[in-house]
Amino acid sequence: MKKILGRFLLLFVVFVFGVAGTAILLNSETTDDRSDMNDSSLPEVMVDYNGTLCNRMYGYVQQMQADFTRDSVTPLDTTKQLTFAVNPYSAKVTSLSYEIRTSDGSKVLENKKVKNLTASDSDSYLRASVEIGSSLRMNQEYSMQITLDTSRGEVYYYTRIVSRSNLNTESYIKFVKSFCEKCMDKATAEDLVSYLESDSSSSTTNFNSVSIKSKFTQVSWGSLSPKIYRKGIPVIKDINETTASVSMEYQISAKDENGNTEIYDVTEFYRMRYAESRILLLNFERSAAQVFEPSLSVISSDGLLLGVRDKNVSYLANEDNSVVAFVQQGDLWSYSPDNGKFVKIFSFRKEENGDYRDSRVKHDMKIIRVDDNGDVDFVLYGYMNRGSREGYSGICVYHYNNDQNVVEEKVFIPSTESYEFLKEELGTLSYVNQGNDLFLLLAGKLYLVDIDGGTYKILEEGIDGDHFVVSDTNAHAAWMVQSGDYAGQIKEIDFETLDTRMLMPSEGQSLRELGFMNEDLVYGIILDGDILTDSNNRAIEGITTLKIEDFEGNVKKEYHEDGLYITSVKVGSTIMEFELSAKKDNTYQVQKKDNIMNNKKASVNRISVELTSSDRTGVRIRLAFEDSPETDEPLIMYAKMRSVEERTVSLDTQVPKDIVYYVYAKGGLDSIYSEPAEAIQRADEQTGVVLNRSQQYVWERGNKKTKIQLNVEDIPEIMRSATMDIQKLTEGIGGSGTVLDLTGCSLDSVLYEVSCQRAVIAKTGANTSVLIVGYDEYNTYLYDPATGETAPYGMNDSTDLFEKAGNVFFTYIENIEY
C-alpha cells in the first residue's frame, strides 16, 4: 500500500510540474513579442506618357511640406493632360484625387477627384486621366499632391508640375530605358559608343563610378555579365526647352566565381539635349553598389570584403574591436571577427518575395555606439519602406539587444520633409547620450529629446548652420551665438554631461569656430584690423592665431605665423589644412600652405577602409582589421523587431521663411546656400539648377536663349540707374521682387538672367557701371545710364571688361503673386 501511495505521489508531482512547465512554456510563447517587420502595403503611382511609365512615386501616410518634397518634375504640354498609372499591389484603391498648390504649398489652385480608375488589359495597373484646368505660369513649378483612397486610408503622393513648350518628354524617357537595357548586352551596347566621350587614359574598372568618359567596356559592365533583377522607371528631375535631366534606379544580379548570386543597387543619371530629331547625351553617370551578403566568401585574412560600393563606409567598433557595425545600402550589419558572427540588425529588404518598395534606399543610418557586449544604438532617418512606420518620413532611434537578438524602437519623430532635406540637416547632428537623450539640429534649433519620457525641449534657437560644428563622435558641438548678450561668443556643449562653456573674444578681437579634432575644439582669433572689405563690399577675414582646446579649456596646440594670416581652413578627421596669406591692400594673397596632423586619430584607428580589385568586379572595398579574423566561416543571424509601447515625439520643425537657394544636380538636392552667387557657381560646376524658396528657377545650366534684347522702357527705373548700392536697389525694387547679388559669377552665367528678361547691372570700373539688356552670339547689349543709350559690345571684350572690374553683377527676381 505504501509503495502504491508513493508511486501515486510521484506521478502526481511529475504531473503538476509537467502542467506548470507546459503553462510557462505556452505563456512564454504567447507573450513573445519578437517578430519580423510587416510587409509593404502602400500602392505606387506613376505617370504614363503614351505607354511609357516615368516618375514612380511612393506613398506617404502623412501630408508633406510642399516646398520640401521635390522627388520628381512632371512636365505638362499644351493639352495639360496627364495619365496616372497606379500599381495597387494587394491594396484596394477606390478613388484618386489631386490637388495643385502654389510651390510653397500655401494656396490651393485646383483640386479634382476621379472615382473610376480603369483596369488595364496589358498590366495589373489602374489608370486615371486628368486634365488640368488652372491657368499656370509658364516655367514655374507647382506642387501636386495625389491622394489615393485605399483600404489603409488616404495615401499621399507628390510631384512637381511645370508648363513648358517643346519638351520632347517621351523621347527622353524612352532613350533612358533603351540605354540602360542595351548596356546589358555587348552586341546592342555597340550602338551606344557614339554617345560616349571615353577617356583612353582611364585604366581602372570601377562600377561604383561610371561616367560618360568611362571606357565602353566599363559602361557595358565589363565581364560582370549582369542581368536585370528589378526594372527601373525613369524619374524626371529637370526639363526645359533645351535639356532634360533624368535619373533611374534599378537592380541587377550577377554570378560570382562560385555561381552564387550577387545583387547590386544601381543609380543612373542622364543629362540630354534634343537636337535635329535625335538626342545628344551631355552627361551620364552610374553608380552600382553591392547589397551585402555574408554568405558570399566575404571573410579573408585581410579583413571583411564589402564588395562594390563607395569608399565612405559608415562604421563603428566597440573599444576592443571585437564587434564592428557598418551600414551598406540602407542595411545595418554587425560583425564579430573572433567567431565570424554576422547579424543583420536592421533592413527594410525582404529576404524572399520582395519588390521595389522594400528595397528602395531613401533612408540612412547613423551608428551612435557599439557596446562591449555587442549592443548597438543607432538612428534611422528618411522614408520608412515598411513596418509599423511605413509611409512616414521621420527619425527613429533604435537599440539592438545582442543577447536577445532583437531591435527595439525607442522613439519616433515624424517629419514633413523628404529624405533629401532630412539628410541635409541630420548630417550635421544626431546623437544619443548615455542618459538616453537625443540631440538634433533642425530648422535652426538645437533639440534635446528625452527618449524615455517622450518629451523634448529646445536648448538654443536661431543657430546659423554655417557656424555650427560637431566632433566626429557628435558628443560635442560648438556654434557662434548670433544675437543677445552673448552675440559674437562661441558656445560649446558636452552632450553627455549637458555642461556648456563660453569662449569670449578679447577686446579688439573676433572668434571663429572652425571644427573639431578628436573632441577638441578648433577656433581662430581675428584682430579687428584683419577683417578687410574688398572693392565689392565683401568681408575677407585673416586669422592671426589658431587654437585647439579641450572642453576644460586646456590648450592642446596654438599656431601662429608672424607676418602671415591663416585663410581657407579645412578641418578633417585626420588632418587640418589651411593657407598662409599676406595682407595686400584690401585682400589676402596666398603665400604657402600648411597643415596640422591629428596624430591621436591616426594612432587609435585599428580598422581601416582599403581598396582592392578583381578582373570581374573591378574596384572593391574592404574593412581591414589589425588582426586577421579567427574564422572564415560566417554565422549569419537576422534580428527580430520587438513591439513596444509607441513613443512618438512631434517637434516643431517648420523651417523659417528665410531667403535660401537650393541647388539640384545629378538627380537630387545637392546643397543649400544663403547667397545666390554661391548657389549658381555650384550649380554650374555640377550642371544643375538653382531654385529659391518659392521654387522659382533662379538659374539653369544650358537653358539660355541664343539671343535676346529687352525693351529698356520695361525695366524698373532703379535698375536703369545701374546703381551698385544694394540698399538703394532693394528699396527701389520694393515688394515686387528680390535683389540678387551675383558677384563672382561669370558673364555666361548671368546672361541666363537676361534670357529670362531680367536686366543685369554690371560693374565696369571704380565708379562706373552699365546695364546688360541683351546679347547675341557675338555681342552683349549694354545700356549706359549716363547717356541713356544702348550699344553692342563684343562678347570677348565684355568678358574681359567685367572680369577686370571683379565680375560684380546685380539683378532681381520678381516675387510671385497668385
Side-chain angles (χ1 to χ4, degrees):
M1 185 67 181
K2 290 183 179 178
K3 290 183 179 180
I4 294 173
L5 183 59
R7 288 177 181 174
F8 175 80
L9 290 173
L10 178 62
L11 289 172
F12 179 78
V13 170
V14 171
F15 172 78
V16 169
F17 275 100
V19 170
T22 302
I24 292 170
L25 179 62
L26 289 173
N27 187 56
S28 67
E29 288 179 347
T30 57
T31 59
D32 187 354
D33 53 4
R34 296 177 300 171
S35 63
D36 293 323
M37 192 181 294
N38 298 334
D39 290 346
S40 301
S41 63
L42 302 182
E44 293 173 344
V45 176
M46 291 148 283
V47 181
D48 187 336
Y49 282 98
N50 298 318
T52 303
L53 298 177
C54 71
N55 288 2
R56 173 158 40 194
M57 293 168 259
Y58 296 84
Y60 292 91
V61 295
Q62 61 185 8
Q63 295 195 43
M64 305 291 286
Q65 287 186 73
D67 48 347
F68 289 96
T69 308
R70 190 182 186 269
D71 295 330
S72 64
V73 174
T74 299
L76 296 174
D77 59 19
T78 53
T79 67
K80 290 189 176 181
Q81 292 182 344
L82 287 175
T83 298
F84 296 110
V86 179
N87 186 350
Y89 292 97
S90 59
K92 182 180 179 181
V93 179
T94 55
S95 68
L96 177 150
S97 59
Y98 71 88
E99 193 173 78
I100 298 174
R101 289 178 173 265
T102 53
S103 52
D104 62 359
S106 61
K107 184 178 180 181
V108 177
L109 303 179
E110 178 176 325
N111 56 69
K112 291 182 181 178
K113 187 169 188 175
V114 180
K115 292 185 178 180
N116 297 319
L117 282 77
T118 306
S120 172
D121 295 330
S122 59
D123 53 38
S124 58
Y125 298 163
L126 304 173
R127 282 174 169 77
S129 296
V130 302
E131 182 174 342
I132 309 302
S134 300
S135 297
L136 306 180
R137 292 170 177 260
M138 295 293 287
N139 304 319
Q140 170 64 42
E141 287 191 6
Y142 295 84
S143 170
M144 174 177 267
Q145 175 184 286
I146 302 156
T147 305
L148 296 184
D149 284 321
T150 75
S151 49
R152 265 204 64 177
E154 290 187 334
V155 186
Y156 308 99
Y157 302 80
Y158 293 87
T159 185
R160 298 283 178 82
I161 58 172
V162 62
S163 292
R164 285 183 152 171
S165 58
N166 304 317
L167 294 183
N168 303 297
T169 304
E170 191 176 343
S171 298
Y172 285 132
I173 57 180
K174 282 184 174 180
F175 175 86
V176 168
K177 287 179 67 70
S178 173
F179 192 102
C180 168
E181 291 167 359
K182 286 183 176 181
C183 286
M184 297 293 154
D185 185 293
K186 293 294 183 184
T188 58
E190 293 286 349
D191 299 340
L192 307 177
V193 173
S194 61
Y195 293 102
L196 304 178
E197 302 171 6
S198 300
D199 183 354
S200 58
S201 64
S202 175
S203 58
T204 303
T205 298
N206 185 355
F207 291 127
N208 185 252
S209 180
V210 179
S211 74
I212 195 172
K213 296 185 180 298
S214 298
K215 288 185 176 181
F216 167 73
T217 54
Q218 188 170 349
V219 174
S220 58
W221 294 104
S223 57
L224 192 66
S225 302
K227 295 180 179 179
I228 295 289
Y229 183 69
R230 288 198 178 106
K231 290 185 178 180
I233 291 178
V235 177
I236 301 169
K237 295 297 185 178
D238 288 296
I239 190 167
N240 55 50
E241 291 83 351
T242 56
T243 64
S245 294
V246 178
S247 68
M248 189 162 69
E249 296 177 353
Y250 59 98
Q251 289 181 305
I252 59 172
S253 63
K255 298 292 185 180
D256 69 6
E257 294 82 354
N258 300 316
N260 300 311
T261 300
E262 303 166 332
I263 303 298
Y264 297 80
D265 291 334
V266 183
T267 300
E268 292 182 340
F269 171 77
Y270 300 78
R271 187 166 180 269
M272 301 158 284
R273 182 192 300 276
Y274 194 88
E276 298 178 357
S277 302
R278 71 182 297 266
I279 287 176
L280 304 177
L281 188 60
L282 304 178
N283 190 23
F284 168 72
E285 295 188 16
R286 177 199 292 152
S287 175
Q290 199 165 345
V291 178
F292 184 73
E293 175 48 61
S295 64
L296 300 180
S297 303
V298 297
I299 306 173
S300 71
S301 59
D302 297 317
L304 183 61
L305 187 64
L306 302 182
V308 176
R309 58 157 297 159
D310 65 87
K311 62 183 179 181
N312 298 315
V313 183
S314 175
Y315 69 94
L316 188 66
N318 58 3
E319 192 169 347
D320 63 358
N321 284 351
S322 61
V323 179
V324 58
F326 61 93
V327 179
Q328 184 145 326
Q329 287 306 101
D331 303 337
L332 176 62
W333 290 87
S334 70
Y335 169 60
S336 303
D338 294 344
N339 56 20
K341 177 183 172 183
F342 288 94
V343 181
K344 194 174 193 178
I345 294 176
F346 189 95
S347 175
F348 285 125
R349 301 177 195 270
K350 289 188 66 177
E351 298 302 319
E352 296 179 355
N353 303 320
D355 55 57
Y356 223 112
R357 292 174 300 171
D358 59 75
S359 59
R360 184 187 192 217
V361 185
K362 290 298 180 184
H363 61 274
D364 205 352
M365 300 183 208
K366 181 173 284 189
I367 306 166
I368 303 299
R369 67 177 55 84
V370 179
D371 292 334
D372 291 341
N373 62 359
D375 287 6
V376 180
D377 291 297
F378 61 100
V379 174
L380 166 75
Y381 59 91
Y383 180 83
M384 308 296 162
N385 295 10
R386 63 188 183 107
S388 60
R389 303 296 184 186
E390 182 189 4
Y392 279 97
S393 177
I395 306 157
C396 270
V397 179
Y398 287 107
H399 175 78
Y400 168 67
N401 185 307
N402 183 51
D403 290 339
Q404 299 180 29
N405 193 34
V406 67
V407 173
E408 296 180 359
E409 178 187 292
K410 293 299 184 182
V411 71
F412 175 67
I413 302 170
S415 172
T416 53
E417 294 180 319
S418 67
Y419 165 64
E420 290 184 316
F421 288 91
L422 270 180
K423 187 176 181 67
E424 185 77 16
E425 293 194 291
L426 294 180
T428 303
L429 173 68
S430 53
Y431 182 74
V432 179
N433 67 12
Q434 296 287 353
N436 237 12
D437 295 321
L438 168 67
F439 299 89
L440 301 169
L441 181 69
L442 290 170
K445 300 173 185 175
L446 179 59
Y447 287 95
L448 182 158
V449 179
D450 180 353
I451 294 174
D452 295 328
T455 60
Y456 76 90
K457 61 182 177 181
I458 299 172
L459 299 179
E460 187 98 4
E461 294 188 67
I463 294 176
D464 183 349
D466 293 335
H467 293 281
F468 185 92
V469 294
V470 297
S471 62
D472 278 354
T473 65
N474 278 206
H476 290 88
W479 61 94
M480 186 69 67
V481 179
Q482 301 295 319
S483 60
D485 295 338
Y486 300 100
Q489 297 185 36
I490 295 175
K491 188 173 185 178
E492 185 181 5
I493 186 170
D494 181 329
F495 289 127
E496 288 296 338
T497 64
L498 291 184
D499 291 338
T500 61
R501 72 176 186 125
M502 304 296 298
L503 283 77
M504 181 186 300
S506 301
E507 188 173 348
Q509 296 181 352
S510 298
L511 302 181
R512 294 293 179 268
E513 80 304 322
L514 299 171
F516 281 86
M517 298 191 81
N518 305 318
E519 299 301 312
D520 302 326
L521 176 64
V522 182
Y523 66 95
I525 299 173
I526 305 170
L527 303 181
D528 286 353
D530 297 333
I531 302 177
L532 308 180
T533 303
D534 64 14
S535 56
N536 302 322
N537 291 321
R538 293 176 179 270
I540 307 174
E541 299 176 341
I543 296 171
T544 185
T545 303
L546 275 179
K547 282 192 175 184
I548 303 176
E549 283 185 11
D550 64 17
F551 191 73
E552 286 69 38
N554 301 310
V555 178
K556 298 294 187 69
K557 187 174 182 65
E558 183 171 317
Y559 183 99
H560 172 81
E561 190 84 12
D562 288 340
L564 293 176
Y565 299 87
I566 300 160
T567 56
S568 302
V569 181
K570 295 179 181 179
V571 181
S573 59
T574 59
I575 189 173
M576 174 168 50
E577 300 176 299
F578 47 87
E579 296 172 344
L580 292 171
S581 303
K583 187 188 297 185
K584 185 175 181 181
D585 299 327
N586 58 345
T587 189
Y588 288 100
Q589 294 185 346
V590 178
Q591 304 298 303
K592 58 182 179 178
K593 296 183 178 181
D594 204 348
N595 62 72
I596 297 174
M597 294 291 296
N598 185 350
N599 296 321
K600 180 179 179 182
K601 182 77 176 180
S603 64
V604 301
N605 191 10
R606 295 165 57 192
I607 299 176
S608 60
V609 176
E610 294 183 350
L611 275 64
T612 181
S613 66
S614 76
D615 293 337
R616 187 180 66 87
T617 60
V619 174
R620 298 182 294 182
I621 301 300
R622 179 169 58 215
L623 277 183
F625 301 97
E626 190 176 63
D627 300 317
S628 297
E630 292 294 330
T631 176
D632 59 2
E633 292 294 328
L635 170 64
I636 307 170
M637 300 181 66
Y638 301 89
K640 298 282 189 180
M641 303 296 294
R642 170 171 286 160
S643 300
V644 295
E645 180 185 352
E646 183 173 310
R647 187 175 290 127
T648 299
V649 177
S650 296
L651 305 181
D652 177 17
T653 58
Q654 192 73 28
V655 179
K657 291 284 185 179
D658 295 331
I659 297 177
V660 293
Y661 300 90
Y662 304 113
V663 177
Y664 291 93
K666 299 180 180 179
L669 177 67
D670 176 85
S671 46
I672 302 175
Y673 291 91
S674 57
E675 297 296 333
E678 294 177 0
I680 289 173
Q681 291 173 72
R682 174 65 182 178
D684 194 22
E685 292 172 2
Q686 301 297 312
T687 61
V689 301
V690 178
L691 280 78
N692 63 12
R693 184 69 186 268
S694 298
Q695 305 305 311
Q696 292 172 280
Y697 286 93
V698 175
W699 189 87
E700 299 172 87
R701 175 72 177 265
N703 188 29
K704 187 173 82 228
K705 295 180 175 67
T706 55
K707 61 180 179 180
I708 190 174
Q709 189 162 350
L710 308 181
N711 184 347
V712 175
E713 297 302 317
D714 294 336
I715 299 171
E717 182 179 353
I718 190 65
M719 293 294 293
R720 293 201 302 268
S721 73
T723 177
M724 303 301 294
D725 188 324
I726 194 168
Q727 185 65 33
K728 288 183 179 179
L729 274 175
T730 301
E731 292 172 355
I733 295 297
S736 64
T738 301
V739 175
L740 303 178
D741 181 352
L742 304 185
T743 299
C745 294
S746 66
L747 172 61
D748 183 65
S749 289
V750 301
L751 289 182
Y752 169 85
E753 309 300 334
V754 182
S755 177
C756 294
Q757 302 188 39
R758 305 169 192 146
V760 175
I761 299 170
K763 184 176 182 179
T764 56
N767 298 299
T768 57
S769 58
V770 294
L771 189 67
I772 307 175
V773 296
Y775 64 87
D776 57 27
E777 184 179 356
Y778 306 104
N779 300 292
T780 60
Y781 290 87
L782 307 180
Y783 172 80
D784 186 344
T787 63
E789 295 181 354
T790 300
Y793 201 71
M795 189 63 72
N796 291 335
D797 291 336
S798 298
T799 301
D800 185 59
L801 174 66
F802 300 143
E803 282 182 354
K804 287 180 178 177
N807 273 348
V808 180
F809 303 106
F810 293 97
T811 187
Y812 80 102
I813 187 169
E814 304 85 353
N815 293 336
I816 301 176
E817 295 182 6
Y818 297 102

